[in-house]
Amino acid sequence: MSTEKRTIIINAPASKIWAVLSDFSNIQMFHPNVQDVDQLSEVDRGLGAARRCNFYSGGSAVEKITAWDDERHSFTCTVTEIAAPLQDITSSMWVETIDSHRSKVHIEMNYTPKWGILGSVLNVLVLQFALQSTFKKVLNGLQLHLETGKLIGKDGKPTARLSQAETA
């Protein structure tokens, strides 16, 4: 099992960040690789919520919430479908209050590389770097979305500004 983690400090209260992160079916608002999302469950947030993230690259991933804590501003999901050399994937995000205006956002993924020894070598040479790069882009996209109110599009570029109704 391998673990990759990354954090960022964002100038926003934890509750504001959690409002965006907990909107599980709308990750495309800040994730620079996700074009759109198909909600796959009756619920769009909380335990049991499921989504298909459709990537700009043409691929997709199906994720289901397996742990949820509103008070601690955290969730964990299991990736059940993805075209990647990974298996047994769980991903968590959580927000930690620093003070009333700043918070630390964490992302962590636990996974097992496929393909035995070859997968382990691939993990060290490529996958760990690729995941760190993606995590950085996701967290930067979240920060930019929170700061500007804009949707974060392909390659992390801001697009249209959200209406007041969408940001409420």
Side-chain angles (χ1 to χ4, degrees):
M1 175 84 53
S2 292
T3 301
E4 293 299 322
K5 306 176 191 181
R6 191 155 190 113
T7 62
I8 191 172
I9 294 174
I10 296 178
N11 293 322
S15 59
K16 182 177 179 182
I17 298 168
W18 180 241
V20 173
L21 290 180
S22 67
D23 189 3
F24 190 66
S25 292
N26 283 306
I27 191 171
Q28 76 280 3
M29 303 279 271
F30 65 88
H31 196 303
N33 296 337
V34 177
Q35 184 172 8
D36 57 54
V37 173
D38 302 320
Q39 184 176 320
L40 302 177
S41 58
E42 293 288 322
V43 295
D44 63 353
R45 67 184 306 276
L47 200 58
R51 68 186 177 197
R52 173 179 280 100
C53 297
N54 301 300
F55 303 123
Y56 288 104
S57 66
S60 67
V62 174
E63 301 171 321
K64 183 175 183 179
I65 297 287
T66 55
W68 186 272
D69 191 331
D70 274 318
E71 287 183 28
R72 293 189 175 161
H73 302 135
S74 69
F75 70 83
T76 299
C77 61
T78 299
V79 179
T80 59
E81 296 175 29
I82 191 166
L86 307 173
Q87 58 192 3
D88 305 322
I89 306 165
T90 60
S91 180
S92 301
M93 291 189 82
W94 68 97
V95 185
E96 178 184 346
T97 299
I98 295 173
D99 58 37
S100 61
H101 302 290
R102 294 181 310 142
S103 304
K104 188 181 285 190
V105 181
H106 304 265
I107 186 169
E108 177 177 310
M109 181 182 282
N110 297 295
Y111 62 94
T112 302
K114 292 181 182 176
W115 310 326
I117 299 285
L118 177 62
S120 295
V121 171
L122 180 66
N123 186 46
V124 171
L125 296 177
V126 178
L127 294 175
Q128 291 174 343
F129 175 77
L131 287 171
Q132 281 295 319
S133 176
T134 298
F135 290 173
K136 181 179 180 181
K137 291 175 186 174
V138 170
L139 293 173
N140 288 343
L142 176 63
Q143 181 176 26
L144 188 57
H145 171 69
L146 286 161
E147 290 174 354
T148 66
K150 292 185 177 185
L151 296 172
I152 304 306
K154 187 175 183 179
D155 299 323
K157 295 189 179 7
T159 62
R161 187 168 178 83
L162 299 175
S163 69
Q164 288 293 341
E166 290 173 301
T167 58

